[in-house]
Amino acid sequence: LNYLLYFAEFEEARKWVANDLVFDKNVDVNLFESTIRILGGLLSTYHLSGDSLFLEKAKDIGNRLMPAFKTPSKIPYSDVNIGRGTAHPPRWTSDSTVAEVTSIQLEFRELSRLTGDEKFQKAVDEVMKHVHTLSGKSDGLVPMFINTNSGQFTHLGVYTLGARADSYYEYLLKQWIQGGKKENELLEDYMRAIEGVKKHLLQKSQPKELTFVGELAHGHFSAKMVRS
């Protein structure tokens, strides 16, 4: 009975995706959120079902997100209009969030693997290779913002495992695993960052000596637990 219910729900959802999920709309979307939720969801459903409908939809949204990478530095803008094929930074800054531009790689790399179109992986790999070479890190820890024009870190001196930086570290290890544990730069950056966390962000509370993660801001440790 449960199987029949699940099958009926899947068929209902598939029908909606086939008939109502249309990306040709004049609307701005966030590159990161759309990648991990829409593109990631479609790719996951394709893997679970084997139904090519979901891969075709994934390819459609993937293509519509690509204009975000048309920046002077190849560091993507945060926002893209999936109907017009244009992209732009937020109104208040020309910066993108480091966590966002380094946490779209798994989905784009997998889209390239499944479709045979290398452009998706090439775009996100360039971001990682660029970040790998940047100055402004502290023992592998990265600042929270990166400029889409210059390609340089901005707001230097603040290091955290909280929002705007958190998933950069997570995706280093995941990409290394996804690529067959062959891309050693990713593993090196991850291991260096972990040592940086131990050195700069871990402390023990007093008097109970409970280990917690804080934040480093311009050389000063802030004893606040981060959201990640």
Side-chain angles (χ1 to χ4, degrees):
L1 180 59
N2 284 340
Y3 172 79
L4 292 175
L5 288 174
Y6 292 144
F7 182 76
E9 287 183 354
F10 174 78
E11 285 301 309
E12 181 181 357
R14 186 194 186 282
K15 182 178 179 182
W16 182 86
V17 170
N19 299 326
D20 299 313
L21 183 60
V22 178
F23 297 124
D24 188 14
K25 296 181 178 181
N26 178 18
V27 61
D28 283 357
V29 302
N30 178 270
L31 171 66
F32 167 69
E33 298 291 351
S34 298
T35 298
I36 67 170
R37 304 187 195 287
I38 303 173
L39 178 56
L42 289 167
L43 290 173
S44 296
T45 307
Y46 170 71
H47 277 297
L48 290 168
S49 67
D51 191 329
S52 61
L53 165 69
F54 299 100
L55 181 56
E56 287 304 310
K57 291 288 186 177
K59 186 176 180 180
D60 185 12
I61 187 63
N63 278 316
R64 293 176 182 278
L65 294 174
M66 287 299 291
F69 296 91
K70 293 180 180 178
T71 71
S73 66
K74 301 297 178 65
I75 299 298
Y77 291 127
S78 63
D79 300 307
V80 56
N81 188 299
I82 56 175
R84 292 182 176 178
T86 58
H88 58 86
R91 292 188 182 92
W92 57 87
T93 180
S94 58
D95 291 346
S96 285
T97 298
V98 171
E100 291 189 356
V101 303
T102 58
S103 301
I104 53 178
Q105 279 66 22
L106 295 181
E107 294 83 1
F108 274 86
R109 284 157 56 112
E110 181 64 3
L111 186 58
S112 279
R113 190 184 74 83
L114 292 172
T115 63
D117 191 337
E118 296 180 353
K119 69 181 179 184
F120 304 111
Q121 177 159 356
K122 182 179 179 182
V124 295
D125 281 356
E126 282 187 3
V127 175
M128 297 308 300
K129 290 175 182 176
H130 179 75
V131 171
H132 174 75
T133 65
L134 282 183
S135 60
K137 300 175 187 174
S138 178
D139 294 315
L141 302 178
V142 295
M144 294 186 289
F145 298 96
I146 187 169
N147 189 270
T148 54
N149 293 318
S150 68
Q152 300 298 308
F153 289 130
T154 62
H155 301 79
L156 301 180
V158 178
Y159 306 99
T160 177
L161 290 190
R164 303 188 186 278
D166 49 0
S167 52
Y168 160 74
Y169 308 105
E170 170 193 346
Y171 270 61
L172 287 171
L173 187 60
K174 287 182 175 179
Q175 287 175 81
W176 178 68
I177 295 170
Q178 182 190 46
K181 301 181 179 180
K182 298 175 182 177
E183 298 161 282
N184 290 330
E185 281 187 356
L186 296 168
L187 181 62
E188 290 167 6
D189 285 348
Y190 177 77
M191 296 303 295
R192 189 174 295 114
I194 293 302
E195 291 306 311
V197 170
K198 293 178 181 177
K199 180 178 179 180
H200 298 292
L201 303 184
L202 282 187
Q203 287 200 18
K204 290 183 180 294
S205 68
Q206 298 297 331
K208 294 190 176 181
E209 302 245 322
L210 301 176
T211 301
F212 68 98
V213 179
E215 181 177 285
L216 187 69
H218 308 292
H220 299 286
F221 181 81
S222 176
K224 65 179 183 181
M225 291 293 289
V226 298
R227 178 182 64 82
S228 179

